Amino acid sequence: MDFTVQKYRELLRALINSNYQFQTFKEFILKPEKKSVVLRHDVDLLPKNSLVFAQIQASKGIKGTYYFRAVPQSWDKKIIKEIADLGHEIGYHYECLTTTNGNLEFGIHDFESNLSALRTLAPVSTICMHGSPLSKHDSKELWKTYRYQDYNIIAEPYFDVDYNQVFYITDTGRKWDGHKTSVRDRVNTGFTRKFHSTSEIINVLNADVFPDQVMFTFHPQRWNDNIIKWSKELVLQNVKNVVKRHLFVKKNL
């Protein structure tokens, strides 16, 4: 069964056995290792699930990057502090043009306020756009008018990574090959290899033919060992994917 915490443990074990260096996104930007993996986590919902991931990583002596939204479903001060105390990077998962209905002036004020609040809980050096697939607004558009570097932000994954060199793989849509239903979690890349299951990824890692530099994006709310919660997420995500597929087709007409 895929998208379980147990399967996640197996994936980490395969990455460790393949001798990858685990870097936070900040570390990768400042000094990328030749054989490196960035474990990015978008904490959209159920922050306790992200804490479980963070604890598993810490128990193995590895670290990742966790992006929190400024909404009650994600923003749990206690958990943010706990994850930071485990040695992981904390970042801001901004959606400022969605929450302000596309108003640039209100959007940048929203960004400033939320970033300042997050920095009272943990250091923040990187940010990452939240896709908000049901919104018509793309919050990355904020940076056509403003500069996130002016806020002591050193990088944003959708702007500051060469995905012809870094293999990007995301569980968006609760599948590894969900590019057809992803509205905004997309990058331009020269890599053509696609994966369907976590087991397939593990098999390629074990065969030592995986790319040297990799960024994984996880949405921990999708990973669960509890069969009831696992099944609920599967059903909800399948419904959401239908809507997202319609929006993607409409956007590209």
Side-chain angles (χ1 to χ4, degrees):
M1 193 162 67
D2 208 348
F3 294 100
T4 62
V5 175
Q6 177 57 36
K7 186 61 68 174
Y8 179 76
R9 291 178 184 272
E10 293 175 19
L11 176 59
L12 289 184
R13 189 178 309 118
L15 288 165
I16 292 170
N17 292 340
S18 296
N19 296 313
Y20 279 91
Q21 297 294 313
F22 291 83
Q23 295 188 282
T24 65
F25 183 50
K26 175 184 177 181
E27 289 172 340
F28 181 79
I29 289 296
L30 294 177
K31 190 178 180 181
E33 297 287 346
K34 184 176 180 181
K35 189 169 185 179
S36 174
V37 60
V38 176
L39 303 177
R40 168 185 146 194
H41 307 78
D42 291 354
V43 190
D44 293 349
L45 301 166
L46 304 179
K48 288 183 179 179
N49 285 35
S50 291
L51 178 59
V52 170
F53 273 36
Q55 290 169 335
I56 292 171
Q57 291 166 357
S59 73
K60 298 179 182 296
I62 61 180
K63 50 192 170 182
T65 298
Y66 290 79
Y67 290 106
F68 285 84
R69 300 169 63 200
V71 296
Q73 303 96 311
S74 171
W75 190 284
D76 185 308
K77 292 183 180 180
K78 182 174 182 293
I79 287 178
I80 292 171
K81 290 180 179 179
E82 284 188 67
I83 291 178
D85 288 344
L86 288 170
H88 303 293
E89 179 187 5
I90 300 297
Y92 174 32
H93 206 27
Y94 66 95
E95 50 191 312
C96 305
L97 293 186
T98 293
T99 54
T100 62
N101 198 30
N103 187 300
L104 288 168
E105 184 178 353
F106 290 168
I108 197 62
H109 288 315
D110 188 56
F111 177 84
E112 292 172 354
S113 176
N114 294 331
L115 180 61
S116 295
L118 188 57
R119 280 175 165 161
T120 66
L121 305 175
V124 178
S125 298
T126 70
I127 57 173
C128 179
M129 176 271 306
H130 173 58
S132 305
L134 302 184
S135 170
K136 65 180 180 180
H137 300 291
D138 184 344
S139 290
K140 295 195 303 297
E141 297 293 311
L142 194 65
W143 311 123
K144 290 184 177 180
T145 302
Y146 304 99
R147 298 177 72 254
Y148 50 80
Q149 294 88 348
D150 292 340
Y151 299 91
N152 292 320
I153 295 298
I154 65 170
E156 208 277 14
Y158 294 105
F159 292 100
D160 299 299
V161 177
D162 180 358
Y163 290 107
N164 289 312
Q165 299 296 322
V166 179
F167 181 55
Y168 182 67
I169 183 165
T170 173
D171 69 358
T172 295
R174 200 177 178 276
K175 51 180 67 178
W176 293 113
D177 52 359
H179 53 284
K180 291 182 180 179
T181 59
S182 179
V183 177
R184 296 193 178 98
D185 189 7
R186 311 171 69 86
V187 300
N188 293 320
T189 179
F191 291 98
T192 58
R193 180 65 189 264
K194 299 290 190 298
F195 293 92
H196 180 67
S197 69
T198 308
S199 292
E200 185 182 351
I201 298 170
I202 292 170
N203 290 338
V204 174
L205 281 166
N206 291 340
D208 198 25
V209 289
F210 213 65
D212 284 342
Q213 293 184 324
V214 188
M215 176 184 285
F216 279 90
T217 293
F218 299 96
H219 296 81
Q221 79 266 15
R222 299 192 175 121
W223 298 70
N224 209 300
D225 283 342
N226 181 294
I227 189 61
I228 295 176
K229 294 179 180 179
W230 184 92
S231 300
K232 179 181 178 182
E233 177 62 26
L234 174 63
V235 172
L236 290 175
Q237 190 60 60
N238 283 344
V239 172
K240 188 176 180 180
N241 284 345
V242 172
V243 177
K244 288 166 65 178
R245 188 177 296 110
H246 171 75
L247 290 173
F248 178 71
V249 171
K250 183 178 179 181
K251 178 182 176 182
N252 289 276
L253 286 177

